[in-house]
Every structure is written in structure tokens, then in C-alpha cells.
Amino acid sequence: MKVILTTANASYIHKNLALRWLYVSKPDEVDAKILEFTIKEDREKVIEQLLNENPDVIAFSVYIWNSPIIKDWIKEIKQKVPSITLICGGPEATFLDSQWIDAGADYVVLGEGEQVFWPLICEGKISSSVTSKITSGTKIAQTDLFYLEQLPSPYFLDMDMPSFHLQYLYIESTRGCPFHCTYCLSSLEEGIRLFSDTYMTALIMQLEKYKPKQIKFLDRTFNLFPTRALQIAKQLNELRWDASIQFECEVTSMAQKLVDYFAYQAKKERFRFEVGVQSFQPKTLEAVRRVQNNEQVKHILTLWSQSGLIVHADLIAGLPYETLELFLDSYHQLLSTQPAEIQVGILKILPKTQMDLTSRRWGIEALQQAPYTIKKTHWLSYDDVEDVSSLAFATDKLYNIPRCRTLIVQAFQLGVSVGPILIAIGHLMKKHDQLQVKDMIQITYEHFKGVLDENIVRGALLFDLGEMSKVRPSKWIEDSISPVITEIIREQIVSRSELTYDFITRKAWIASAYVFQRHGYQARFFMPDKKISYLFNEEGECIHEQTTRYRNK
């Protein structure tokens, strides 16, 4: 029997752990192969490659981002070779099983498939966690994690080695979620299950051999068991190569020993945190069954951000009782903590969630197909949703990619309501298909110079331009520095470095800067392997110097 395990990932850097667990759990007599594609690949080429394998069974891992694409694949495969058995699994198929049967699937596996999938295709066993054309599944399968621990590791397969350092390594130390947020599919699961400490320690020791560069834990809440989480974090902190590791955390319930460890002891470049804030409005949080201590959330995010940790924080627009004005209040409260990234999301009404079942109560209109994004609610009009979309666009282009982060933060700290300005900027930027960076900076400059001193706007934008650039940039906005200040800056660098006056005159990129909440200047030297930066106060006195060495690719 030839079985193909396949999916469409969001991009090449991602790979599907669920398929790999299926692969390592297969019976020895089964000929199975993983074929992964991306959502941007040509459909005809994908279908051709799948059919060229002459499979008896094709199994699809279905998620919200690839659902329409896989439906198209199924339709075409059934038309061309109807004898192939098609099986769907994954969260998008689990909770819409009858729709996938109607779309052409022969079976849908509900929940975790490692102990359901192979008995289905090898023995014809249709369990209570399988929907077919004549039976409906009634139970969401949960795999015995002890069983998985006895299997070969899915993390270091030979097939993955050629691209191992080019893709994320996804790891899970737990399955399940303890929370019951009404908009989330995880709320429909029951209980938390843990891979054993012994298993996790052995897995982390194996990392030493393969040295992955980017690791993401799939646990819904990594910090749920503080002693265990701290043990894993310390083991990962001791890895002896340059690795970036991401956890998803719920900081209201985070133990102080974990907060302090990451803030004061862990390697700052080692860890990255995804924190789902979603809203700071108490009535909204109560409506979606989310328990959150807002002040503690802001305290921890601020502490971590100030300590140099990378924090990616999420908000969701469209939740009950949150108007655009209140959402902007949540946005500004989150901005005050200065996380490295702010994700502005728009509520998705995922099928079978409590939010889906009560959507009429909230006046929700949403797309009926994936990605199920809302169009309006009782509290957000169609135009409001479009405003949030523009805010998300501008935040991603100007803050997350920190082209204008210093300006946004400084403006906020000076009392400017930056949310509406970013909405206006986002509206304008979305009208242009191929905006260059210089266009984004000029648009931002024009919008902020009407509400802030022009020297602050110019200096903040030029500071971020200098920070981001690895080669000598064009300034793009007018900047005038007096010859006297320029000469003082050159003399300061001569006195503080081994650089010659002639080299400084020829190579220094000197521009205005607004840092430490005051106007000043910057001088930067862009070299193949490093960047040397100097910051000066308004009188031209050097107040900071730094050498940034570029990481080898």
C-alpha cells in the first residue's frame, strides 16, 4: 500500500509536525511518503506530483490557511483518479467533517490521528473518531503520549536533513489547553497532557547533534507548569550554538520565578515569546471567558521588553463590547509596553466554537468560508473593520519592521494618539501596490509632522533608518546639519577610535537623530561585516557608541 501524507504550508520555512508523527507511527509494511507544498504553488504541478506517486491513499492535513486550496486538490484528484482513497485531518477538517465528505474526502479523522489513521487504512477500522460517507464520528481523538514516546523521533528525519537549517523545528512538550476562550478551537479540547520530563530532556540533548537555528514550541501555554517550564528553559538556554526559541505564554498565570529568569538570567537573544493579550477591556474579556490581570500583563511585557527580550503580542479586534475607540485604547495600552512586535488581528468565527454558536447575539457578520473573518459586529461597522485592517497593515510595515518604531513610540509618549494616524497612513499605503521603503517613510513623515515638532519627526525617522540599514542609506527626507556640528562630530570620533580623519570624512553617514527623548545626531560606518554607530547630543558630544557585527548566514 502506498500512502502519501501531504499538506500546503503557509511558506517554505514551515513544516508540518502532524504529518511526521503519522509517518513515524506507520506500520512497517506500509510504504508512506511525506510531500509538503506551500499555498503559493501551482495547483496543476502539485496534482501532477501527487499522482505521479501512484498512491492508494492520500492524506491531507487541513488548516484554516490551506482549506480552500486542499478542497481544490481533492476535487481535481477525485475527477482524475476516483479510486484513490482521500482522507482529511487537522483542526479545519475535524470540526467540519461533513463538509469535507461533501467536498470529496472518503474519510475524516477527528482530532489526533496517530492511533486512528493507520487502523483505518490498514484494517478498515472506522472508530468513533472517523467520519465516512455513511457514518459520523462522535469523538475527538486524543493520542496516548506515552505511545508516542516509544516511536522513532519525528524531529530529525533523514528526509528533513537537506533543508533542516532552512526551516523551523516545531516541538511540542504538551497537548491541550486549560483555557476556554470562546473564539478558539483549543477551548473544545479536554484536558492537558504532558510528554514526560525524561522524554523532553532526551529530546533537548538530541538538539546538540543537529543544531537547529529556529525552534518553535507548539504548546498552547508553555508556562502552565512553572517548575517543568523553568527546567526546559534552562536546558535550552545552555545550548551551545546560536539558536532562537519561541514559546507561547499566558503571562497572567506566569510564576514569578519564570518571569525573573527570562528577564534577568536567560540569554536575551535566545528566547522569543508570543503573548496573546487580545484586549484590555474588562467587559470584553469577561464575555469571551478570558481571565486576565491587565496590570500584571503590562508589567511583565514592559519588563521583558526593557530587558531586551523579543515579545510578540496579539490583539483581536471584533470581540464583544469593544468599539473601535475601545480597541484603540487596547492598542495604546499594549503600545505602552513596547513589545518587539504587535499583531493586530481581526476576529475569525471558527466553526463550532462558542463564539460561532452565539454570533447572532453579538450581531456578527462573517465570511462563511475560511478564514471566517468578521465583516461587522454590534460594535464595529464595516468601515471600522476596514480601519482596523489599515491599522494592522501600518503596524506591520512601520512598527514590527521597525522602519518608524522610534517615531511611533516617541509620539505616543508625548501624548499623541497614534492609532488614528496609523489608520490614515495604512489607508494610504494600501492604495499603492508597490510601495518602496522611502515612500513609507515619506508618508509617515507627512502625517506626523502636523502633530509633532518637525525636528522630532525627522530625527526619529532618520534614527530608525540608520539602525535598520546595513549599507549606507539615502536620507529620503530633508536633513540639514551645520558644518560646525559636522566638524565637532568628526573630531569626537577621531578622539574615541582608531579611525582616521580622512576615513571619517569620506565614509561617515551623519544625520539627525531623536533618541533618549531629545534631539541629537548620529554617525554610522557601514562595513561588510559590521556597523559602527555613534550617537551625539545636540551640542555634538558623543553619548553612546556601539559596534554591531552581522551574523553569518
Side-chain angles (χ1 to χ4, degrees):
M1 178 184 293
K2 180 68 175 288
V3 180
I4 297 298
L5 308 172
T6 190
T7 193
N9 296 319
S11 64
Y12 174 76
I13 198 171
H14 303 288
K15 57 188 176 188
N16 186 296
L17 180 58
L19 295 184
R20 285 159 175 77
W21 275 120
L22 284 182
Y23 181 81
V24 299
S25 63
K26 74 178 183 68
D28 292 339
E29 66 271 16
V30 174
D31 179 11
K33 184 176 183 179
I34 295 175
L35 288 178
E36 290 179 287
F37 305 93
T38 71
I39 57 176
K40 295 183 179 180
E41 290 191 53
D42 180 76
R43 181 181 65 179
E44 292 302 321
K45 291 182 179 179
V46 170
I47 300 301
E48 180 181 6
Q49 189 171 345
L50 290 172
L51 295 182
N52 282 346
E53 296 290 334
N54 295 315
D56 299 294
V57 177
I58 302 178
F60 303 92
S61 184
V62 189
Y63 296 83
I64 192 171
W65 61 81
N66 65 23
S67 172
I69 293 168
I70 290 183
K71 281 184 178 178
D72 287 343
W73 293 359
I74 289 174
K75 180 179 179 181
E76 188 159 343
I77 291 170
K78 272 300 182 186
Q79 288 176 344
K80 291 185 174 182
V81 189
S83 61
I84 298 176
T85 299
L86 304 182
I87 303 176
C88 292
E92 183 70 8
T94 291
F95 298 102
L96 292 172
D97 50 339
S98 61
Q99 289 188 23
W100 286 90
I101 296 295
D102 293 341
D106 296 291
Y107 301 98
V108 174
V109 173
L110 311 184
E112 301 168 14
E114 295 94 348
Q115 292 179 303
V116 177
F117 177 78
W118 296 111
L120 170 63
I121 65 171
C122 295
E123 306 166 20
K125 183 179 179 180
I126 301 178
S127 73
S128 59
S129 298
V130 174
T131 291
S132 69
K133 295 184 182 299
I134 58 174
T135 62
S136 294
T138 58
K139 182 180 179 181
I140 307 299
Q142 291 189 334
T143 302
D144 179 358
L145 299 192
F146 179 76
Y147 162 76
L148 294 183
E149 291 183 5
Q150 313 313 307
L151 299 174
S153 173
Y155 299 112
F156 312 108
L157 300 176
D158 289 343
M159 71 180 78
D160 289 326
M161 289 302 108
S163 58
F164 189 77
H165 292 102
L166 302 176
Q167 295 179 301
Y168 291 122
L169 176 65
Y170 290 101
I171 290 176
E172 52 184 350
S173 71
T174 64
R175 288 188 180 182
C177 181
F179 304 109
H180 298 89
C181 305
T182 61
Y183 49 80
C184 184
L185 286 175
S186 297
S187 66
L188 304 179
E189 301 180 17
E190 295 181 6
I192 305 296
R193 291 159 293 140
L194 289 75
F195 286 89
S196 69
D197 292 350
T198 301
Y199 181 82
M200 292 308 302
T201 297
L203 172 56
I204 293 170
M205 291 177 64
Q206 278 186 289
L207 296 176
E208 183 73 35
K209 177 180 178 181
Y210 297 95
K211 295 180 172 56
K213 293 183 178 180
Q214 297 190 79
I215 302 169
K216 288 191 176 185
F217 275 70
L218 296 176
D219 306 31
R220 272 63 165 225
T221 309
F222 173 75
N223 58 287
L224 195 59
F225 301 95
T227 300
R228 169 188 166 91
L230 184 58
Q231 175 184 324
I232 291 174
K234 286 182 175 179
Q235 291 171 336
L236 293 169
N237 194 60
E238 295 304 315
L239 297 179
R240 294 175 291 179
W241 68 93
D242 189 12
S244 172
I245 300 165
Q246 178 170 315
F247 301 127
E248 184 171 342
C249 294
E250 202 293 305
V251 295
T252 288
S253 61
M254 178 166 277
Q256 192 63 43
K257 61 183 178 181
L258 270 174
V259 174
D260 291 343
Y261 176 75
F262 288 123
Y264 302 119
Q265 299 179 47
K267 298 174 183 176
K268 300 303 179 289
E269 70 281 2
R270 172 59 47 90
F271 297 108
R272 172 187 173 94
F273 301 89
E274 182 174 346
V275 179
V277 177
Q278 319 315 5
S279 175
F280 282 110
Q281 308 308 317
K283 191 172 182 180
T284 296
L285 293 169
E286 182 180 4
V288 298
R289 300 180 185 172
R290 187 170 178 82
V291 178
Q292 180 168 289
N293 182 326
N294 287 338
E295 294 309 309
Q296 180 170 327
V297 169
K298 288 187 284 187
H299 169 72
I300 293 174
L301 295 190
T302 301
L303 174 64
W304 280 1
S305 297
Q306 289 178 346
S307 70
L309 292 167
I310 299 174
V311 177
H312 171 105
D314 301 340
L315 291 174
I316 298 177
L319 297 174
Y321 303 113
E322 194 165 59
T323 62
L324 179 60
E325 180 181 6
L326 287 175
F327 181 77
L328 288 175
D329 175 73
S330 291
Y331 182 88
H332 290 143
Q333 288 193 59
L334 182 56
L335 181 62
S336 72
T337 71
Q338 297 185 44
E341 297 172 359
I342 295 176
Q343 180 174 321
V344 177
I346 299 177
L347 179 64
K348 296 173 174 60
I349 307 302
L350 303 179
K352 304 297 177 67
T353 60
Q354 189 65 27
M355 185 66 71
D356 176 38
L357 300 178
T358 60
S359 60
R360 287 188 179 183
R361 174 185 175 187
W362 312 122
I364 290 174
E365 292 183 23
L367 298 176
Q368 295 303 300
Q369 302 294 327
Y372 312 110
T373 311
I374 64 161
K375 301 176 182 178
K376 69 176 289 292
T377 73
H378 280 323
W379 300 274
L380 287 184
S381 67
Y382 297 110
D383 289 343
D384 291 338
V385 173
E386 185 58 37
D387 283 349
V388 173
S389 175
S390 294
L391 177 63
F393 187 82
T395 300
D396 195 46
K397 297 297 184 183
L398 305 178
Y399 182 90
N400 296 342
I401 303 174
R403 298 179 175 116
C404 308
R405 180 185 295 170
T406 298
L407 173 59
I408 293 169
V409 171
Q410 294 290 343
F412 175 74
Q413 291 179 340
L414 291 169
V416 175
S417 180
V418 299
I421 298 174
L422 291 175
I423 288 173
I425 292 173
H427 280 322
L428 188 56
M429 290 200 303
K430 286 169 67 177
K431 292 179 180 178
H432 301 278
D433 292 333
Q434 296 181 330
L435 272 181
Q436 297 182 10
V437 175
K438 66 177 182 179
D439 301 318
M440 298 181 192
I441 292 177
Q442 287 170 346
I443 290 171
T444 304
Y445 177 74
E446 292 298 326
H447 277 77
F448 274 94
K449 73 177 185 179
V451 296
L452 277 180
D453 181 285
E454 197 166 344
N455 287 328
I456 295 177
V457 178
R458 179 188 301 110
L461 289 175
L462 288 173
F463 174 76
D464 278 339
L465 181 61
E467 283 286 284
M468 285 198 65
S469 299
K470 290 187 176 181
V471 296
R472 185 186 182 98
S474 298
K475 290 187 179 178
W476 293 324
I477 53 178
E478 183 179 350
D479 185 34
S480 178
I481 302 176
S482 73
V484 173
I485 288 294
T486 300
E487 185 62 23
I488 292 173
I489 288 173
R490 288 170 178 167
E491 293 293 344
Q492 285 270 311
I493 298 173
V494 168
S495 69
R496 303 175 71 91
S497 72
E498 297 180 356
L499 302 176
T500 65
Y501 182 86
D502 178 64
F503 179 86
I504 295 167
T505 302
R506 290 185 293 107
K507 296 294 186 179
W509 183 79
I510 299 175
S512 296
Y514 188 83
V515 289
F516 308 126
Q517 296 189 328
R518 61 183 297 182
H519 178 66
Y521 306 96
Q522 60 187 316
R524 301 184 190 265
F525 298 87
F526 300 94
M527 303 175 184
D529 62 335
K530 63 185 177 182
K531 175 171 61 182
I532 304 174
S533 303
Y534 297 90
L535 299 179
F536 306 85
N537 63 20
E538 198 161 12
E539 291 74 37
E541 178 186 358
C542 185
I543 56 177
H544 180 75
E545 61 181 279
Q546 177 177 314
T547 297
T548 304
R549 298 191 180 276
Y550 304 138
R551 294 171 60 180
N552 294 325
K553 293 184 178 180

